[in-house]
mmCIF file of all heavy atoms in Angstrom:
data_model
loop_
_atom_site.group_PDB
_atom_site.id
_atom_site.type_symbol
_atom_site.label_atom_id
_atom_site.label_comp_id
_atom_site.label_asym_id
_atom_site.label_seq_id
_atom_site.Cartn_x
_atom_site.Cartn_y
_atom_site.Cartn_z
ATOM 1 N N THR U 1 70.401 91.184 47.381
ATOM 2 C CA THR U 1 69.649 91.184 46.131
ATOM 3 C C THR U 1 70.578 90.850 44.963
ATOM 4 O O THR U 1 71.809 90.968 45.075
ATOM 5 C CB THR U 1 68.998 92.548 45.888
ATOM 6 O OG1 THR U 1 70.042 93.527 45.717
ATOM 7 C CG2 THR U 1 68.120 92.938 47.066
ATOM 8 N N PRO U 2 70.012 90.429 43.819
ATOM 9 C CA PRO U 2 70.860 90.206 42.641
ATOM 10 C C PRO U 2 71.644 91.444 42.221
ATOM 11 O O PRO U 2 72.784 91.318 41.749
ATOM 12 C CB PRO U 2 69.850 89.782 41.564
ATOM 13 C CG PRO U 2 68.708 89.190 42.319
ATOM 14 C CD PRO U 2 68.628 89.994 43.582
ATOM 15 N N GLU U 3 71.044 92.645 42.375
ATOM 16 C CA GLU U 3 71.777 93.865 42.030
ATOM 17 C C GLU U 3 73.015 94.010 42.906
ATOM 18 O O GLU U 3 74.116 94.324 42.430
ATOM 19 C CB GLU U 3 70.882 95.091 42.189
ATOM 20 C CG GLU U 3 69.715 95.132 41.210
ATOM 21 C CD GLU U 3 68.472 94.485 41.796
ATOM 22 O OE1 GLU U 3 68.610 93.600 42.675
ATOM 23 O OE2 GLU U 3 67.372 94.861 41.377
ATOM 24 N N GLN U 4 72.843 93.783 44.211
ATOM 25 C CA GLN U 4 73.992 93.847 45.115
ATOM 26 C C GLN U 4 74.998 92.746 44.799
ATOM 27 O O GLN U 4 76.217 92.946 44.909
ATOM 28 C CB GLN U 4 73.519 93.736 46.562
ATOM 29 C CG GLN U 4 72.674 94.912 47.028
ATOM 30 C CD GLN U 4 72.056 94.677 48.394
ATOM 31 O OE1 GLN U 4 71.722 93.542 48.754
ATOM 32 N NE2 GLN U 4 71.907 95.743 49.176
ATOM 33 N N GLY U 5 74.486 91.581 44.411
ATOM 34 C CA GLY U 5 75.369 90.478 44.053
ATOM 35 C C GLY U 5 76.229 90.809 42.851
ATOM 36 O O GLY U 5 77.434 90.504 42.835
ATOM 37 N N ALA U 6 75.652 91.439 41.831
ATOM 38 C CA ALA U 6 76.423 91.822 40.645
ATOM 39 C C ALA U 6 77.520 92.822 41.016
ATOM 40 O O ALA U 6 78.646 92.750 40.497
ATOM 41 C CB ALA U 6 75.497 92.404 39.582
ATOM 42 N N GLU U 7 77.209 93.750 41.928
ATOM 43 C CA GLU U 7 78.223 94.712 42.374
ATOM 44 C C GLU U 7 79.341 94.006 43.130
ATOM 45 O O GLU U 7 80.522 94.349 42.976
ATOM 46 C CB GLU U 7 77.582 95.778 43.241
ATOM 47 C CG GLU U 7 76.596 96.684 42.501
ATOM 48 C CD GLU U 7 75.926 97.679 43.427
ATOM 49 O OE1 GLU U 7 76.225 97.632 44.643
ATOM 50 O OE2 GLU U 7 75.124 98.500 42.937
ATOM 51 N N ARG U 8 78.974 93.024 43.942
ATOM 52 C CA ARG U 8 79.981 92.276 44.699
ATOM 53 C C ARG U 8 80.876 91.472 43.767
ATOM 54 O O ARG U 8 82.076 91.306 44.042
ATOM 55 C CB ARG U 8 79.297 91.361 45.702
ATOM 56 C CG ARG U 8 78.668 92.059 46.895
ATOM 57 C CD ARG U 8 79.630 92.109 48.073
ATOM 58 N NE ARG U 8 79.986 90.783 48.507
ATOM 59 C CZ ARG U 8 79.262 90.045 49.350
ATOM 60 N NH1 ARG U 8 78.127 90.533 49.858
ATOM 61 N NH2 ARG U 8 79.670 88.847 49.716
ATOM 62 N N VAL U 9 80.322 90.935 42.687
ATOM 63 C CA VAL U 9 81.144 90.199 41.715
ATOM 64 C C VAL U 9 82.224 91.114 41.157
ATOM 65 O O VAL U 9 83.404 90.736 41.062
ATOM 66 C CB VAL U 9 80.272 89.623 40.583
ATOM 67 C CG1 VAL U 9 81.157 89.076 39.459
ATOM 68 C CG2 VAL U 9 79.366 88.519 41.099
ATOM 69 N N GLU U 10 81.837 92.331 40.783
ATOM 70 C CA GLU U 10 82.814 93.277 40.249
ATOM 71 C C GLU U 10 83.874 93.630 41.290
ATOM 72 O O GLU U 10 85.057 93.776 40.964
ATOM 73 C CB GLU U 10 82.104 94.553 39.775
ATOM 74 C CG GLU U 10 81.125 94.341 38.648
ATOM 75 C CD GLU U 10 81.801 93.798 37.409
ATOM 76 O OE1 GLU U 10 83.007 94.080 37.203
ATOM 77 O OE2 GLU U 10 81.148 93.058 36.647
ATOM 78 N N PHE U 11 83.467 93.755 42.545
ATOM 79 C CA PHE U 11 84.421 94.056 43.615
ATOM 80 C C PHE U 11 85.418 92.912 43.777
ATOM 81 O O PHE U 11 86.624 93.145 43.960
ATOM 82 C CB PHE U 11 83.663 94.293 44.927
ATOM 83 C CG PHE U 11 84.565 94.535 46.104
ATOM 84 C CD1 PHE U 11 85.179 95.767 46.291
ATOM 85 C CD2 PHE U 11 84.803 93.525 47.024
ATOM 86 C CE1 PHE U 11 86.019 95.985 47.376
ATOM 87 C CE2 PHE U 11 85.636 93.732 48.113
ATOM 88 C CZ PHE U 11 86.246 94.972 48.286
ATOM 89 N N ILE U 12 84.943 91.668 43.710
ATOM 90 C CA ILE U 12 85.835 90.512 43.831
ATOM 91 C C ILE U 12 86.828 90.468 42.665
ATOM 92 O O ILE U 12 88.015 90.183 42.848
ATOM 93 C CB ILE U 12 85.001 89.212 43.894
ATOM 94 C CG1 ILE U 12 84.201 89.161 45.203
ATOM 95 C CG2 ILE U 12 85.898 87.983 43.772
ATOM 96 C CD1 ILE U 12 83.222 88.013 45.281
ATOM 97 N N LEU U 13 86.349 90.765 41.464
ATOM 98 C CA LEU U 13 87.220 90.709 40.290
ATOM 99 C C LEU U 13 88.271 91.811 40.315
ATOM 100 O O LEU U 13 89.383 91.633 39.797
ATOM 101 C CB LEU U 13 86.389 90.812 39.016
ATOM 102 C CG LEU U 13 85.391 89.672 38.757
ATOM 103 C CD1 LEU U 13 84.651 89.901 37.451
ATOM 104 C CD2 LEU U 13 86.111 88.334 38.727
ATOM 105 N N ARG U 14 87.934 92.962 40.883
ATOM 106 C CA ARG U 14 88.872 94.084 40.895
ATOM 107 C C ARG U 14 89.889 94.006 42.027
ATOM 108 O O ARG U 14 90.862 94.765 42.030
ATOM 109 C CB ARG U 14 88.112 95.407 41.015
ATOM 110 C CG ARG U 14 87.365 95.824 39.760
ATOM 111 C CD ARG U 14 86.969 97.293 39.844
ATOM 112 N NE ARG U 14 86.180 97.567 41.035
ATOM 113 C CZ ARG U 14 84.841 97.569 41.073
ATOM 114 N NH1 ARG U 14 84.157 97.292 39.972
ATOM 115 N NH2 ARG U 14 84.206 97.838 42.198
ATOM 116 N N ALA U 15 89.691 93.122 42.971
ATOM 117 C CA ALA U 15 90.604 93.025 44.109
ATOM 118 C C ALA U 15 92.003 92.634 43.635
ATOM 119 O O ALA U 15 92.152 91.783 42.752
ATOM 120 C CB ALA U 15 90.081 92.008 45.115
ATOM 121 N N PRO U 16 93.048 93.238 44.183
ATOM 122 C CA PRO U 16 94.414 92.887 43.768
ATOM 123 C C PRO U 16 94.758 91.468 44.196
ATOM 124 O O PRO U 16 94.183 90.935 45.156
ATOM 125 C CB PRO U 16 95.270 93.924 44.505
ATOM 126 C CG PRO U 16 94.449 94.320 45.690
ATOM 127 C CD PRO U 16 93.015 94.252 45.240
ATOM 128 N N PRO U 17 95.670 90.823 43.494
ATOM 129 C CA PRO U 17 96.068 89.466 43.886
ATOM 130 C C PRO U 17 96.681 89.454 45.276
ATOM 131 O O PRO U 17 97.376 90.391 45.678
ATOM 132 C CB PRO U 17 97.085 89.069 42.808
ATOM 133 C CG PRO U 17 97.545 90.352 42.212
ATOM 134 C CD PRO U 17 96.404 91.306 42.323
ATOM 135 N N ARG U 18 96.412 88.382 46.002
ATOM 136 C CA ARG U 18 96.900 88.313 47.381
ATOM 137 C C ARG U 18 98.417 88.181 47.429
ATOM 138 O O ARG U 18 99.082 88.758 48.298
ATOM 139 C CB ARG U 18 96.243 87.126 48.101
ATOM 140 C CG ARG U 18 96.747 86.927 49.531
ATOM 141 C CD ARG U 18 96.013 85.813 50.219
ATOM 142 N NE ARG U 18 94.637 86.190 50.493
ATOM 143 C CZ ARG U 18 94.250 86.894 51.558
ATOM 144 N NH1 ARG U 18 95.156 87.340 52.426
ATOM 145 N NH2 ARG U 18 92.981 87.164 51.748
ATOM 146 N N TYR U 19 98.977 87.406 46.527
ATOM 147 C CA TYR U 19 100.410 87.132 46.574
ATOM 148 C C TYR U 19 101.124 87.923 45.481
ATOM 149 O O TYR U 19 100.688 87.971 44.334
ATOM 150 C CB TYR U 19 100.681 85.640 46.406
ATOM 151 C CG TYR U 19 99.960 84.795 47.431
ATOM 152 C CD1 TYR U 19 98.822 84.071 47.093
ATOM 153 C CD2 TYR U 19 100.415 84.734 48.741
ATOM 154 C CE1 TYR U 19 98.159 83.295 48.031
ATOM 155 C CE2 TYR U 19 99.754 83.971 49.690
ATOM 156 C CZ TYR U 19 98.623 83.251 49.334
ATOM 157 O OH TYR U 19 97.969 82.509 50.264
ATOM 158 N N GLY U 20 102.249 88.543 45.849
ATOM 159 C CA GLY U 20 103.010 89.344 44.912
ATOM 160 C C GLY U 20 103.863 88.506 43.979
ATOM 161 O O GLY U 20 103.926 87.264 44.085
ATOM 162 N N ARG U 21 104.548 89.176 43.088
ATOM 163 C CA ARG U 21 105.366 88.484 42.085
ATOM 164 C C ARG U 21 106.547 87.757 42.719
ATOM 165 O O ARG U 21 106.918 86.663 42.290
ATOM 166 C CB ARG U 21 105.864 89.484 41.047
ATOM 167 C CG ARG U 21 104.754 90.088 40.187
ATOM 168 C CD ARG U 21 105.325 91.089 39.203
ATOM 169 N NE ARG U 21 104.270 91.648 38.356
ATOM 170 C CZ ARG U 21 103.896 91.123 37.194
ATOM 171 N NH1 ARG U 21 104.519 90.040 36.736
ATOM 172 N NH2 ARG U 21 102.941 91.685 36.481
ATOM 173 N N ALA U 22 107.142 88.346 43.740
ATOM 174 C CA ALA U 22 108.338 87.747 44.345
ATOM 175 C C ALA U 22 108.014 86.405 44.996
ATOM 176 O O ALA U 22 108.699 85.399 44.767
ATOM 177 C CB ALA U 22 108.952 88.705 45.363
ATOM 178 N N ILE U 23 106.954 86.355 45.808
ATOM 179 C CA ILE U 23 106.614 85.100 46.475
ATOM 180 C C ILE U 23 106.099 84.067 45.470
ATOM 181 O O ILE U 23 106.320 82.864 45.626
ATOM 182 C CB ILE U 23 105.583 85.342 47.600
ATOM 183 C CG1 ILE U 23 105.435 84.080 48.446
ATOM 184 C CG2 ILE U 23 104.240 85.767 47.024
ATOM 185 C CD1 ILE U 23 104.579 84.272 49.672
ATOM 186 N N THR U 24 105.468 84.530 44.399
ATOM 187 C CA THR U 24 105.027 83.590 43.366
ATOM 188 C C THR U 24 106.213 82.940 42.674
ATOM 189 O O THR U 24 106.236 81.727 42.437
ATOM 190 C CB THR U 24 104.142 84.316 42.340
ATOM 191 O OG1 THR U 24 103.017 84.890 43.012
ATOM 192 C CG2 THR U 24 103.644 83.351 41.280
ATOM 193 N N LEU U 25 107.235 83.735 42.347
ATOM 194 C CA LEU U 25 108.440 83.183 41.730
ATOM 195 C C LEU U 25 109.140 82.215 42.677
ATOM 196 O O LEU U 25 109.660 81.174 42.252
ATOM 197 C CB LEU U 25 109.385 84.309 41.335
ATOM 198 C CG LEU U 25 108.968 85.160 40.132
ATOM 199 C CD1 LEU U 25 109.957 86.298 39.927
ATOM 200 C CD2 LEU U 25 108.879 84.307 38.879
ATOM 201 N N LEU U 26 109.169 82.549 43.961
ATOM 202 C CA LEU U 26 109.774 81.646 44.942
ATOM 203 C C LEU U 26 109.059 80.300 44.950
ATOM 204 O O LEU U 26 109.698 79.243 45.036
ATOM 205 C CB LEU U 26 109.737 82.291 46.326
ATOM 206 C CG LEU U 26 110.238 81.434 47.494
ATOM 207 C CD1 LEU U 26 111.717 81.101 47.321
ATOM 208 C CD2 LEU U 26 109.998 82.140 48.821
ATOM 209 N N CYS U 27 107.737 80.336 44.827
ATOM 210 C CA CYS U 27 106.971 79.085 44.845
ATOM 211 C C CYS U 27 107.139 78.297 43.552
ATOM 212 O O CYS U 27 107.051 77.065 43.561
ATOM 213 C CB CYS U 27 105.502 79.391 45.112
ATOM 214 S SG CYS U 27 105.192 79.913 46.803
ATOM 215 N N TRP U 28 107.366 78.976 42.424
ATOM 216 C CA TRP U 28 107.747 78.255 41.203
ATOM 217 C C TRP U 28 109.002 77.423 41.471
ATOM 218 O O TRP U 28 109.069 76.239 41.115
ATOM 219 C CB TRP U 28 108.013 79.245 40.068
ATOM 220 C CG TRP U 28 106.819 79.694 39.294
ATOM 221 C CD1 TRP U 28 105.910 80.619 39.674
ATOM 222 C CD2 TRP U 28 106.412 79.261 37.978
ATOM 223 N NE1 TRP U 28 104.957 80.789 38.682
ATOM 224 C CE2 TRP U 28 105.257 79.974 37.641
ATOM 225 C CE3 TRP U 28 106.945 78.352 37.076
ATOM 226 C CZ2 TRP U 28 104.585 79.794 36.433
ATOM 227 C CZ3 TRP U 28 106.296 78.165 35.857
ATOM 228 C CH2 TRP U 28 105.135 78.871 35.541
ATOM 229 N N MET U 29 109.984 78.040 42.082
ATOM 230 C CA MET U 29 111.255 77.365 42.344
ATOM 231 C C MET U 29 111.093 76.242 43.365
ATOM 232 O O MET U 29 111.614 75.129 43.185
ATOM 233 C CB MET U 29 112.280 78.390 42.827
ATOM 234 C CG MET U 29 113.655 77.814 43.077
ATOM 235 S SD MET U 29 114.879 79.101 43.480
ATOM 236 C CE MET U 29 114.195 79.724 45.017
ATOM 237 N N LEU U 30 110.347 76.511 44.443
ATOM 238 C CA LEU U 30 110.167 75.495 45.480
ATOM 239 C C LEU U 30 109.384 74.295 44.967
ATOM 240 O O LEU U 30 109.705 73.148 45.297
ATOM 241 C CB LEU U 30 109.447 76.114 46.682
ATOM 242 C CG LEU U 30 110.224 77.160 47.482
ATOM 243 C CD1 LEU U 30 109.359 77.730 48.590
ATOM 244 C CD2 LEU U 30 111.502 76.564 48.051
ATOM 245 N N ALA U 31 108.358 74.538 44.154
ATOM 246 C CA ALA U 31 107.565 73.431 43.623
ATOM 247 C C ALA U 31 108.419 72.509 42.759
ATOM 248 O O ALA U 31 108.314 71.283 42.835
ATOM 249 C CB ALA U 31 106.385 73.976 42.810
#
């Protein structure tokens, strides 16, 4: 339902980022 969909949107937004700061910095350097 749209109500469930709105709740799922909030769950997606609150999820922590998949990649941490260390691997992100490594990819800045590699790129």
Side-chain angles (χ1 to χ4, degrees):
T1 64
E3 294 92 333
Q4 294 172 327
E7 294 177 359
R8 288 266 299 276
V9 170
E10 297 299 331
F11 177 77
I12 292 173
L13 297 181
R14 287 195 304 266
R18 177 176 290 276
Y19 304 104
R21 294 179 179 270
I23 190 173
T24 301
L25 288 176
L26 176 63
C27 289
W28 275 78
M29 182 174 64
L30 292 177

